Structure formats: C-alpha cells, structure tokens
Amino acid sequence: MATKQTEPVTVISLRKLSLGTPEPQQKEPKTFTVEEAVETIGFGRFHIALFLIMGSTGVVEAMEIMLIAVVSPVIRCEWQLENWQVALVTTMVFFGYMVFSIVFGLLADRYGRWKILLISFLWGAYFSLLTSFSPSYIWFVFLRTMVGCGVSGHAQGLIIKTEFLPTKYRGYMLPLSQVFWLAGSLLIIGLASVVIPTIGWRWLIRIASIPGIILIMAFKFIPESARFNVSTGNTQAAMTTLESIAKMNSSAMPEGKLVEPILEKRGRFADLLDAKYLRTTLQIWVIWLGISFAYYGVILASAELLERDLVCGSQPELESEVVVTLGDTEGSQSPCHCHMFAPSDYRTMIISTIGEIALNPLNILGINFLGRRLSLSITMGCTALFFLLLNICTSSAGLVGFLFMLRALVAANFNTIYIYTAEVLMSASILGALCLFSSVCVVCAISAFTLPIETKGRALQQIK
C-alpha cells in the first residue's frame, strides 16, 4: 500500500505594525542667566549712557574728598586750629565713610543698588550744603562726617555699572572711569583757586554741591540692577530691564526663559568669611586698606607739604608761624600755622592730579594682558618706591615729578582693585610717615601677587 507523501507547511506569523508617527521626545526649554543675557546683548548705546552717568558719580565723590585738602589751610586760621584738630576733620570723614560703607552695602543687597545710590546722593548733598553754614569747628567736623557717610554710598554706582558691562569690556571701561575722578579733582582745585581768595570757602562748598544735585536728576535714566531683581524673585522686572537694554543697543535677547536661583539670604557678612572666599576676602581687605591709605595719604600729604613748605623733611622756618592770642590771660596762646595756598601751590596740585590718568593706557594693558594680580603687584611695588623717593632732596620740579608719578600709581592701584573686587566678590616725622606708607605698599604688593584667584575673563560669580 502506497504511503501518502506529506507536503511541508510554511507558517507565516504576521505582526501588527503601527503606521502612526512616533511621539516626539520632550525637549527641555531653553534658559539663560542675567550674565548670559548681558554677554549676548553686548556693548552699545545703553552702556555709553551708563558710563557717563554712573562715571559722573566719581566727579562728585572726588570734589567732596578733595575739598578737605583745599579748605584745611583756611579753617586752620579761621578757627585757630592746631595740627591734630585739622587732622581730625579728615579722620572723621573717613570714619563715617568706613561705617556707612558697610551699612549701605548691606542695605543695597536687601533693597536695591539704585535706591541706596539715590539716598546716598541726597544725603551727601544735604549735609554738604549744611557744612557751608557751620558756626564752629565742632559743627564743621560733625557735618563733614555726615558727608563722608553719604559719599560711601556712591560705590553702588560702580556696582551697577559693573553688573551691566560685558566681561571683555570691564577691563577697559572701568579704568577709563578714572577720568571722572580726575575731572572732579581738577574742578575743585580750580574752583578753590578762584573762589576762596574772593568770596570764601563757604561759597566753595555750596558751589561744589551743585554737580551732585544735577546728577540726582539723571538717575531716572538708569534702571535697577537686573542681577538684584532676579535674586529677589522679581524676574519680570529683570526681563523688562534686559529687553530695554537690548532694544536701546539694537541687539537681541538670548532665546529661552530667564532663570536664576532666588537668594533667600542676601547681603550676609558671613558669606565673605566662608571657607571658599576667606583667604581672598582677608587679602582684599589688606590691599584695600593699603591702597586707600596710600591714595588719600598722597592727596593729603601733598597739601601738607605745600602748606608747610616741607621739602626733604625739613622743618618750617620760625617766621612762618603766626601766634594767635586767644585771650587776655598770659600764656593762653595757640600756635596757628597760617599759610594760605599761593597760585603756584594750586598749579602744583593740578599737575600732580593730572598724573592720575598718565598711566591709564599702561594700566589698561596690564589689567587685560598681565592679569589683575600681577598688574596690581607691580604698581603697588612702584608706589612703595616712589614714597621713598619723596625723601630725596630735589628741586620743586623734582618734587612735582615725584608727586605726579605717585598719583599715577595710586590711581592705577585703585583701578585694578576696583575691578578685581567687583569680579571676585561683589606731622612728627615726614621720613617716618613716608616709610610707613612705603611699608604698607610693600605688604600690599606681596598680597596682590599671591591672591588665589585671577579674574581676567571671568564671569561675575553669584554666591549661592
């Protein structure tokens, strides 16, 4: 019987295929920070206006500080003051400056840079005008102390300017701000040479208050810091500010949403002493102390040298002292050194003051190519050297030359430390005094060279 052949069977399994389009993967929304927005918008017309208005705060500050140097000889004679009493005026001005620098800094981190800047200008202008009506020496000291308190808040203008500037422009634009301080210094010296001999020092103070009052009206063109607004959660205000800047600069905003962490605790002094910043904070404090000590020391020492005619540390001639009788009691006399500035003295002050801009081109190159630390170390070392050179017996022209170079160097020091700080942290012995200045500068030069962070090309850091 024949066997039936079985044919092979092929089994085909069909899988159901989906013909629909696959679901797209969810893309993360684009975001950007204030720093990224500032870099994207770039430099433009807004920054020119910002530079002119905020830079002009330096004119006002310079006039108020330099006012002490040009008025000191007059009040010394008018109120029959001794040396320590004249020095006390300067001491109290800077004491007020020191205390309220801390106060205004903390308030600015809580309530805004713009508000504190406006308050400080109103405060300074008010008490400066009151100073011109001082009935006595005590009132003069008190009112100038109040002016010092107000002037300390002017630094908020620098902070606003720094926060809105793109990184690559900070090393160029901030040193150029020295032009405004120079203008203020030259203006008050020029006014003093004309006003004091004619209508007196009180009118000089009144006239010197005018630029500050005018500048207050220009503040309405400058917005609040976008970085501050976003740190307080007011992102919409920050966006409005950035969009306005972009429009004024004919530029575009970065794509996406402005996002930045809200800082619950702002303006804490303890942040500066955190392990991350402790070394930098302490060294910057030392450097600021030395630079301020040297800068204002040069200004006030220049006035003292001219007033007392102390060249090469020599003592003044006896005939230059005027004895003023205070009463009928025998022996109740007070030595009053009355030596008013002559036209040649004002010329010397003007020439030495011009020195503040002499090294600006080299300073800008040094900051941008050598870096902040090395540049500051070099200029501080040279400052120490020129303080010592003041002790060399030389002609009047030589003295003017030394003062010229000193003013140039101390101004360069200020330029550099202002940038660095903003970026990383938001009469007994003339020889002895000059050597003290020199020693402090040497310490600062070493401290500047060993700073742990170089901020060249570095974005502004936010403490979280």
Side-chain angles (χ1 to χ4, degrees):
M1 184 174 176
T3 305
K4 187 176 180 179
Q5 189 174 3
T6 304
E7 294 181 358
V9 178
T10 301
V11 179
I12 300 175
S13 176
L14 298 178
R15 181 181 297 172
K16 185 178 180 181
L17 300 177
S18 176
L19 300 178
T21 57
E23 293 182 5
Q25 292 184 349
Q26 194 76 18
K27 290 186 177 180
E28 294 185 4
K30 292 184 177 181
T31 62
F32 62 90
T33 64
V34 172
E35 185 75 16
E36 291 168 340
V38 169
E39 298 296 330
T40 302
I41 293 171
F43 187 86
R45 288 187 298 172
F46 168 79
H47 296 92
I48 295 175
L50 179 72
F51 177 73
L52 293 175
I53 296 174
M54 292 294 96
S56 296
T57 61
V59 175
V60 178
E61 186 174 353
M63 292 182 73
E64 293 292 355
I65 297 300
M66 287 294 295
L67 190 66
I68 306 169
V70 295
V71 166
S72 291
V74 189
I75 63 170
R76 179 196 297 271
C77 290
E78 181 169 325
W79 287 320
Q80 305 167 13
L81 305 179
E82 297 184 14
N83 294 335
W84 69 268
Q85 292 174 301
V86 177
L88 183 62
V89 177
T90 304
T91 301
M92 293 307 296
V93 168
F94 285 104
F95 176 77
Y97 195 109
M98 177 186 70
V99 172
F100 270 73
S101 290
I102 299 172
V103 174
F104 279 145
L106 294 173
L107 291 176
D109 279 338
R110 282 172 167 77
Y111 303 109
R113 324 272 193 241
W114 190 92
K115 296 183 185 72
I116 299 304
L117 181 63
L118 178 63
I119 290 172
S120 70
F121 262 79
L122 291 170
W123 180 310
Y126 175 72
F127 282 104
S128 184
L129 281 173
L130 286 183
T131 304
S132 66
F133 298 97
S134 300
S136 65
Y137 166 74
I138 297 298
W139 271 106
F140 184 86
V141 172
F142 171 73
L143 293 172
R144 289 314 294 180
T145 302
M146 293 296 101
V147 173
C149 294
V151 169
S152 67
H154 295 187
Q156 298 306 318
L158 173 73
I159 296 173
I160 292 175
K161 184 165 55 178
T162 302
E163 291 182 344
F164 280 124
L165 276 173
T167 302
K168 69 177 181 179
Y169 289 95
R170 293 183 197 131
Y172 297 94
M173 298 304 293
L174 295 180
L176 286 177
S177 299
Q178 188 66 28
V179 173
F180 294 97
W181 182 278
L182 172 66
S185 300
L186 294 176
L187 181 57
I188 195 65
I189 295 171
L191 284 171
S193 65
V194 175
V195 175
I196 291 180
T198 54
I199 54 179
W201 63 269
R202 296 179 186 272
W203 275 103
L204 175 64
I205 294 178
R206 293 163 192 160
I207 295 172
S209 303
I210 295 175
I213 296 172
I214 295 175
L215 191 57
I216 289 172
M217 294 183 282
F219 285 167
K220 65 179 181 180
F221 299 106
I222 300 300
E224 177 59 271
S225 164
R227 183 181 290 267
F228 168 78
N229 279 330
V230 80
S231 70
T232 58
N234 196 352
T235 306
Q236 185 56 49
M239 275 294 294
T240 302
T241 296
L242 294 170
E243 289 171 351
S244 176
I245 295 172
K247 182 178 180 181
M248 189 171 179
N249 285 4
S250 300
S251 183
M253 288 280 291
E255 296 182 2
K257 180 181 179 182
L258 176 61
V259 174
E260 200 133 2
I262 299 175
L263 303 180
E264 298 295 336
K265 296 180 180 179
R266 303 182 307 278
R268 295 182 304 169
F269 183 79
D271 290 337
L272 298 177
L273 302 179
D274 185 85
K276 181 180 179 181
Y277 292 99
L278 181 60
R279 178 185 168 188
T280 303
T281 297
L282 294 178
Q283 287 189 234
I284 285 181
W285 282 349
V286 172
I287 294 170
W288 267 105
L289 171 65
I291 290 176
S292 302
F293 187 66
Y295 182 82
Y296 295 109
V298 171
I299 293 175
L300 299 171
S302 300
E304 189 75 5
L305 286 169
L306 294 172
E307 183 186 350
R308 292 170 168 266
D309 196 22
L310 294 178
V311 179
C312 304
S314 61
Q315 295 298 317
E317 298 294 330
L318 293 177
E319 57 266 26
S320 65
E321 286 207 357
V322 178
V323 176
V324 180
T325 303
L326 298 178
D328 295 332
T329 305
E330 187 176 349
S332 60
Q333 295 180 333
S334 174
C336 176
H337 188 93
C338 291
H339 181 93
M340 299 298 181
F341 286 154
S344 59
D345 295 328
Y346 286 114
R347 284 196 298 270
T348 298
M349 294 180 72
I350 288 174
I351 293 172
S352 62
T353 300
I354 292 174
E356 293 201 8
I357 202 172
L359 292 183
N360 236 15
L362 290 178
N363 187 217
I364 292 173
L365 291 175
I367 288 172
N368 289 282
F369 293 99
L370 297 180
R372 280 55 159 161
R373 296 184 301 177
L374 182 57
S375 178
L376 182 56
S377 181
I378 291 172
T379 54
M380 285 301 301
C382 292
T383 304
L385 174 62
F386 273 89
F387 266 120
L388 291 177
L389 290 177
L390 276 180
N391 293 283
I392 298 177
C393 290
T394 183
S395 62
S396 296
L399 176 62
V400 171
F402 287 147
L403 291 174
F404 181 91
M405 283 304 300
L406 264 176
R407 291 292 288 269
L409 288 165
V410 293
N413 295 335
F414 255 127
N415 287 337
T416 310
I417 195 60
Y418 261 125
I419 296 173
Y420 187 91
T421 303
E423 289 175 331
V424 75
L425 301 172
M426 291 300 193
S427 109
S429 170
I430 295 297
L431 174 62
L434 294 176
C435 288
L436 178 59
F437 280 127
S438 179
S439 300
V440 172
C441 290
V442 168
V443 172
C444 291
I446 296 172
S447 187
F449 186 73
T450 58
L451 279 168
I453 303 172
E454 173 55 68
T455 59
K456 176 185 176 184
R458 179 186 175 102
L460 295 177
Q461 302 297 302
Q462 186 82 284
I463 299 177
K464 299 179 182 179

